[in-house]
Amino acid sequence: MSVPRNNRNQEVLRGLVDRVVFHNEENGYCILKIVPEGKRDVVSLIGRAPRVVAGEEFEARGVWEPNRDFGPQFKADELKLKRPDSLNGIERYLGSGLIEGIGGKYAKRIVEKFGPKVFDIIENESKRLEEVEGVGKKRRLEIRESWMKQKAIHSIMLFLHQHGISSSRALRIYKTYGDEAQAVLKENPYRLAQDIRGIGFKTADDIAYQLGVAEDAPERIKAGILHVLETAAQNGHCCFPEPKVVGKAVELLGVEALIVPQIEALIASEQVERHGEFLYLPYLRKAEQSIAASVKSLAALPSAYPSIDEDAALAWVMKKTGKELAESQQRAVREALRHRMLIITGGPGVGKTTILRSILLILQSKQVKIVLAAPTGRAAKRLSESTGLEAKTLHRLLEYQGEGGWGRHRGKPLVGDLFVVDEASMIDAPLMAQFLSALPQGAHLLIVGDADQLPSVGPGMVLHDLISSGAVPCVKLTEIFRQAASSRIITSAHAINRGQVPDLKPASRSDFFFLEASEPDEIRDLIVQLAHTRLPAKYGFDPIADIQVLTPMNRNLLGTASLNHSLQLALNPPNEVKFEIERFQTTFRVGDKVIQTHNNYDKEVFNGDIGHIVTIDADPVKVHVRYDADRLVGYEPGELDELQPAYALTIHKSQGSEFPCVIIPVSTQHYVLLERSLIYTAITRAKKLCVLVGDERALSLAVSKQESRKRFTGLRGLL
């Protein structure tokens, strides 16, 4: 039986860092060659530190462990580093490349000249560095500036590491606040949660605790209340009932008496708004009010198109496209020509694309200027392909400039006569508010979407609220057309939407299958087998480009992390030829399918864009990803947290996309998230083949539950 390491004979080791063999900035893991005090031989030490420089003095607590290949290694549970005192150490430290303007040669000269006082000289009497041969004014200034920067980073990194923050987070904190980092943290550590992506309330609260912030400190209570409202927004709510906010804040903070007074204080300082029984973050209330005002004024106006003979136009467009429009489709076209603002909604196979194409052809023939947009890059691409016209993402259309705000707004509106937005179920309240405020005077608006799909990832249920308010003319399409009716993908999706479990009996020429498997590891193995060998062999799919696994969540054996790991091993295994890099607990390999997880306006890649790694440069390390046919984007190692493997995606991330073949695990392991809109959205992503793998109970559970519709929003009431 192995003894827990901290109980084995731990010892304290001191000495000098000879060189840094490996250091992972993300988690601080390092392999060092060290010279222990009183010894001459170099040995290995394994531990964690925010940053390590050759020449530093170390103190480590841990145990010696044998290693067949490298001899004994010291495994450190604790590792402290400080600037060296010995001349040999100082020389190694300065010459390690840490300080710009000093290499090995200059380090030797400077230490010979000033001895142990060298750090003091650089900091306080840097003019004296010019006494060293080869150091002129330019190099001296470079050395001092670099030293001061390193010193600031060093002390901040040590401070952060003492408070349990990983190196990558520490670097982010330093990049955000610079030399002010320590001051900001001491004054209000809860700012981290507001200002830095990847640091939530829990982390900030841990840091605050270590800095001695009291459990009932007002800034802690306020930060906790805001965190509850921000979490609600992340879960899609625009507002939250006040009693629920209080309950969740008590749960989070462990104090009860002070929560209501601090809610009042947040309302007084306008950081929170109260409307009826609901509390809002102000930006979400403003977004809903703005949408309501724009919609009311648009819907009140009559259409302003050139005069159109509807019967003649319909006959002309059917002849031009060679497609006979059914009665319900003709009615939709007429409505679009009559109204200033119209919603067209319906599931797959009801002919939304045919109707849209007909409307656009008629209006183009009348010289109406048409602008097409969709929420994501892939949805915009599909809209472009189906209409033959250019379509942009809403962010690009509105000229979003990241932190710099929006290029298009009420003061600088868009240009066009008819604006068409597809996949509107994905649009959250802040984005819809921005888009509507940027429409020009006299614009017409056509919104197309499937209100039964998952609502937006961001806060709100805009399409659903617009339809259910009755404030906007709306055409609801329900008739499934002949060609679509033969697809079991489409008939199954409609059955699920009606709350029925679809027919799961296998049929030989079907495009929809259910494969029974009960245990999570059995489901996972079957999915890998299907993607790797069975489906490519039977249908000729490319396992990486054509097949997409969609799963409800990130965690668990059937979450994206686990499935991506298994699928990557099967579909793109490591070999000597393929270069790979590990960052942020993920291995990236040439040939991998990856997804961009944040909008990056500098690189012009957006949340949800899927690409493939085509090359990885070794020195300096750079990963090159191809998006579409013609776009190659480079990532530095520190930017790889924006990428994730994309063999398996969450169903939310797949919205607005279509894939030739989709595989979906359906397991009671996901029961918290399983619900009707989720399964419906996943199935409707499949173009040619959809395979569900799992157990029937989980599927019927999902079909009977409609959780995602339960969002707290105020838009419907405002309309």
Side-chain angles (χ1 to χ4, degrees):
M1 192 178 84
S2 66
V3 183
R5 198 197 304 164
N6 51 3
N7 292 348
R8 287 179 284 163
N9 303 326
Q10 287 211 333
E11 59 179 284
V12 175
L13 194 67
R14 294 182 182 83
L16 213 62
V17 177
D18 184 65
R19 67 191 170 91
V20 180
V21 179
F22 173 80
H23 183 240
N24 179 339
E25 281 194 344
E26 163 66 4
N27 56 21
Y29 177 82
C30 56
I31 302 170
L32 312 177
K33 290 293 185 191
I34 56 161
V35 182
E37 229 168 40
K39 301 266 171 52
R40 299 176 71 167
D41 290 344
V42 174
V43 290
S44 296
L45 178 145
I46 293 169
R48 289 180 191 274
R51 28 169 296 165
V52 202
V53 180
E56 280 186 305
E57 291 177 6
F58 74 86
E59 179 180 303
R61 178 186 296 279
V63 293
W64 287 101
E65 291 194 346
N67 182 294
R68 211 177 55 212
D69 300 324
F70 304 109
Q73 295 180 328
F74 192 78
K75 285 224 163 153
D77 284 339
E78 266 179 55
L79 178 59
K80 291 179 184 157
L81 296 146
K82 67 181 181 79
R83 285 208 306 250
D85 291 335
S86 71
L87 292 183
N88 176 27
I90 292 171
E91 190 182 315
R92 295 293 302 278
Y93 184 75
L94 288 177
S96 65
L98 175 79
I99 313 244
E100 286 166 40
I102 305 183
K105 183 174 73 175
Y106 282 105
K108 192 172 179 60
R109 286 181 194 170
I110 291 171
V111 172
E112 276 173 2
K113 176 84 181 159
F114 299 114
K117 296 208 308 249
V118 63
F119 298 137
D120 192 47
I121 297 282
I122 294 173
E123 208 163 304
N124 302 313
E125 301 179 65
S126 70
K127 183 93 178 77
R128 288 193 58 196
L129 289 173
E130 291 180 32
E131 296 168 22
V132 175
E133 185 198 338
V135 178
K137 183 181 178 186
K138 186 174 169 215
R139 188 182 292 270
R140 162 178 69 91
L141 292 172
E142 186 184 16
I143 290 170
R144 184 170 189 283
E145 189 184 338
S146 177
W147 171 259
M148 294 312 282
K149 187 172 152 197
Q150 290 299 338
K151 186 186 172 209
I153 293 177
H154 206 94
S155 65
I156 286 163
M157 291 297 234
L158 281 172
F159 172 78
L160 294 171
H161 246 252
Q162 280 160 358
H163 295 99
I165 301 174
S166 75
S167 299
S168 63
R169 289 227 169 111
L171 280 166
R172 250 185 209 153
I173 292 169
Y174 180 74
K175 278 179 187 159
T176 306
Y177 303 122
D179 298 345
E180 301 293 298
Q182 249 166 299
V184 167
L185 287 184
K186 284 177 178 160
E187 186 200 333
N188 181 6
Y190 294 100
R191 269 186 61 186
L192 293 176
Q194 245 90 48
D195 299 345
I196 299 173
R197 181 170 62 78
I199 293 187
F201 173 82
K202 294 268 194 318
T203 308
D205 200 34
D206 288 345
I207 295 164
Y209 173 74
Q210 299 206 33
L211 291 171
V213 175
E215 194 178 52
D216 58 359
E219 68 266 32
R220 178 172 186 261
I221 309 292
K222 284 179 185 160
I225 294 162
L226 290 171
H227 173 70
V228 169
L229 286 170
E230 278 149 13
T231 304
Q234 282 160 14
N235 292 329
H237 304 288
C238 286
C239 52
F240 217 53
E242 189 164 343
K244 276 182 183 273
V245 174
V246 173
K248 285 190 179 294
V250 171
E251 221 174 280
L252 178 75
L253 298 164
V255 292
E256 197 163 340
L258 299 160
I259 286 168
V260 174
Q262 292 306 335
I263 287 176
E264 298 303 335
L266 285 166
I267 291 168
S269 64
E270 297 182 359
Q271 287 170 275
V272 170
E273 287 187 28
R274 181 189 279 127
H275 295 276
E277 59 167 319
F278 292 100
L279 295 179
Y280 277 85
L281 291 169
Y283 83 97
L284 290 173
R285 179 67 181 176
K286 274 198 195 71
E288 290 197 331
Q289 287 171 319
S290 170
I291 293 169
S294 300
V295 165
K296 281 178 186 166
S297 65
L298 257 181
L301 296 168
S303 152
Y305 292 129
S307 77
I308 294 170
D309 177 335
E310 288 175 10
D311 295 339
L314 279 163
W316 171 80
V317 85
M318 287 192 273
K319 189 175 172 204
K320 188 169 174 65
T321 60
K323 282 201 171 164
E324 191 65 33
L325 294 178
E327 195 49 51
S328 60
Q329 293 177 305
Q330 292 192 31
R331 195 182 76 248
V333 174
R334 289 176 195 273
E335 292 290 310
L337 301 176
R338 290 173 193 170
H339 290 287
R340 183 64 70 112
M341 178 178 182
L342 178 74
I343 295 169
I344 296 178
T345 184
V350 296
K352 295 193 295 289
T353 304
T354 307
I355 293 165
L356 181 57
R357 213 181 284 144
S358 305
I359 294 165
L360 297 182
L361 279 169
I362 291 168
L363 291 172
Q364 268 181 302
S365 74
K366 296 286 182 184
Q367 266 65 59
V368 170
K369 181 172 167 44
I370 294 164
V371 179
L372 302 182
T376 66
R378 285 173 297 160
K381 196 169 165 217
R382 279 178 58 198
L383 181 58
S384 242
E385 285 162 1
S386 65
T387 58
L389 300 171
E390 187 199 9
K392 290 182 175 174
T393 63
L394 283 164
H395 280 88
R396 190 164 280 170
L397 181 70
L398 296 167
E399 296 168 18
Y400 184 55
Q401 294 142 6
E403 300 299 312
W406 305 84
R408 295 287 177 174
H409 41 75
R410 204 162 256 119
K412 190 188 173 193
L414 295 159
V415 178
D417 303 320
L418 166 64
F419 292 81
V420 178
V421 184
D422 196 14
E423 293 286 358
S425 62
M426 298 171 68
I427 306 175
D428 63 28
L431 181 56
M432 185 60 104
Q434 186 62 40
F435 168 63
L436 292 175
S437 74
L439 290 178
Q441 284 277 308
H444 296 69
L445 176 60
L446 180 58
I447 293 176
V448 184
D450 181 350
D452 295 316
Q453 276 197 37
L454 282 172
S456 54
V457 175
M461 295 199 294
V462 179
L463 181 62
H464 189 271
D465 286 350
L466 288 176
I467 293 169
S468 62
S469 72
V472 181
C474 178
V475 175
K476 290 180 184 162
L477 303 162
T478 52
E479 188 184 343
I480 303 176
F481 291 99
R482 195 179 62 247
Q483 189 188 350
S486 65
S487 159
R488 275 180 65 183
I489 292 174
I490 287 172
T491 53
S492 301
H494 283 276
I496 286 168
N497 210 12
R498 292 192 299 271
Q500 299 161 353
V501 174
D503 178 8
L504 302 177
K505 287 194 296 292
S508 61
R509 299 183 64 86
S510 177
D511 56 2
F512 177 85
F513 293 97
F514 186 92
L515 301 183
E516 185 76 41
S518 51
E519 294 306 314
D521 53 353
E522 191 191 340
I523 296 173
R524 179 200 59 201
D525 295 346
L526 183 49
I527 286 172
V528 172
Q529 207 184 59
L530 286 165
H532 185 211
T533 50
R534 284 170 61 173
L535 297 178
K538 181 161 186 194
Y539 297 92
F541 290 130
D542 176 319
I544 294 181
D546 296 337
I547 296 175
Q548 186 60 59
V549 176
L550 299 179
T551 180
M553 68 200 311
N554 288 311
R555 289 193 303 278
N556 282 356
L557 205 58
L558 296 173
T560 52
S562 159
L563 286 170
N564 271 316
H565 178 69
S566 302
L567 288 161
Q568 183 190 42
L569 273 177
L571 304 180
N572 191 24
N575 63 33
E576 294 77 63
V577 188
K578 277 185 189 156
F579 201 70
E580 62 178 53
I581 173 179
E582 191 186 336
R583 277 292 187 285
F584 304 100
Q585 281 90 52
T586 305
T587 300
F588 296 98
R589 198 171 287 143
V590 170
D592 274 341
K593 174 156 73 169
V594 290
I595 183 168
Q596 172 78 17
T597 58
H598 303 284
N599 290 335
N600 186 324
Y601 297 91
D602 300 330
K603 293 188 192 300
E604 291 209 353
V605 279
F606 301 97
N607 188 353
D609 285 355
I610 291 178
H612 292 85
I613 296 177
V614 286
T615 52
I616 299 177
D617 301 339
D619 192 18
V621 173
K622 200 163 196 187
V623 174
H624 300 274
V625 178
R626 172 160 283 126
Y627 294 97
D628 308 326
D630 52 349
R631 269 191 323 140
L632 204 60
V633 178
Y635 292 81
E636 309 284 335
E639 298 171 319
L640 290 174
D641 60 340
E642 295 188 11
L643 288 181
Q644 277 172 5
Y647 300 101
L649 298 176
T650 61
I651 296 166
H652 265 108
K653 280 255 187 275
S654 74
Q655 275 182 277
S657 306
E658 273 188 344
F659 308 98
C661 172
V662 165
I663 306 174
I664 307 159
V666 190
S667 162
T668 47
Q669 193 182 54
H670 295 143
Y671 82 95
V672 182
L673 288 169
L674 278 181
E675 56 99 38
R676 192 181 301 171
S677 303
L678 197 74
I679 296 293
Y680 174 77
T681 300
I683 290 173
T684 54
R685 302 306 91 213
K687 253 197 300 207
K688 295 179 182 166
L689 183 69
C690 177
V691 184
L692 301 184
V693 182
D695 92 45
E696 251 184 80
R697 272 176 330 164
L699 182 62
S700 58
L701 183 81
V703 170
S704 65
K705 221 166 86 179
Q706 268 195 299
E707 286 304 306
S708 69
R709 308 279 163 82
K710 294 178 187 161
R711 286 190 169 190
F712 294 108
T713 66
L715 179 58
R716 188 178 162 183
L718 288 167
L719 286 163

